[in-house]
Structures are given as C-alpha cells and as structure tokens.
Amino acid sequence: GKARPELFIDDKVFGFYFLQTLDSYWSLPSSLISTFTALFMALCFIFPRYWFGFIIALILLSLTRLVVTAHYLSDILASLYIATLIVILLHKLFKNRQWI
C-alpha cells in the first residue's frame, strides 16, 4: 500500500506500507486510470480515426486525479503504462489467433 497524497498533506505520511487495509493507502496503481486507459486504448484500436480525441480525454481524466489529490503523478503514470501494455499485448494475441 502506498500512501495517498492527502496523507502527505495532512499528516506528512509518505511511502509504501505493507498490507494496509485502509483505502487511504491504496494509491498505486490507480484503478480508475487503469480502467479508463484500457477502455480508451481499446477504443483507439477499434476506432483508429478518433485516437487523438481518446488520448486527450485520457490525459484530461488523468489530470483530474492529480487536481483532487487522489494520486501522485507516479501512480498515474504507472497505471497508464501497465494498462497500455496489457491492451497492446492482448491486441497482438487476438490478432495472432485471428480473433480480430
């Protein structure tokens, strides 16, 4: 469990803490950003004409998580990376098996 920014702002708590049950320690990875990254990246493959709009929407959504101090930038970037990697690997797998 990684402490959320609000813990740092309020109590100066920062870092990783093993097996925390409180949601204020569930900062990494951002599940909201992971979900929307997977959705928007999949939409980029389905509708390649609109990829730029999907990426802009994802960036704006990611920035809102910073503004509301729900996540650090590193949490968001890690979520973006992990979800993008998974979608790309799944796309290659599906394409190799001729499912798409």
Side-chain angles (χ1 to χ4, degrees), residues 39-58:
L39 173 67
F40 287 141
M41 292 303 294
L43 288 173
C44 285
F45 284 118
I46 296 169
F47 304 108
R49 172 193 256 180
Y50 305 111
W51 71 270
F52 188 73
F54 294 135
I55 299 301
I56 293 298
L58 183 58

Side-chain angles (χ1 to χ4, degrees), residues 36-90:
F36 277 106
T37 300
L39 173 67
F40 287 141
M41 292 303 294
L43 288 173
C44 285
F45 284 118
I46 296 169
F47 304 108
R49 172 193 256 180
Y50 305 111
W51 71 270
F52 188 73
F54 294 135
I55 299 301
I56 293 298
L58 183 58
I59 290 170
L60 292 174
L61 182 67
S62 299
L63 289 176
T64 63
R65 304 308 291 163
L66 287 174
V67 171
V68 299
T69 65
H71 295 283
Y72 293 106
L73 180 61
S74 61
D75 305 336
I76 293 169
L77 292 176
S79 300
L80 288 168
Y81 178 74
I82 292 167
T84 301
L85 184 66
I86 290 171
V87 169
I88 290 171
L89 291 174
L90 283 173

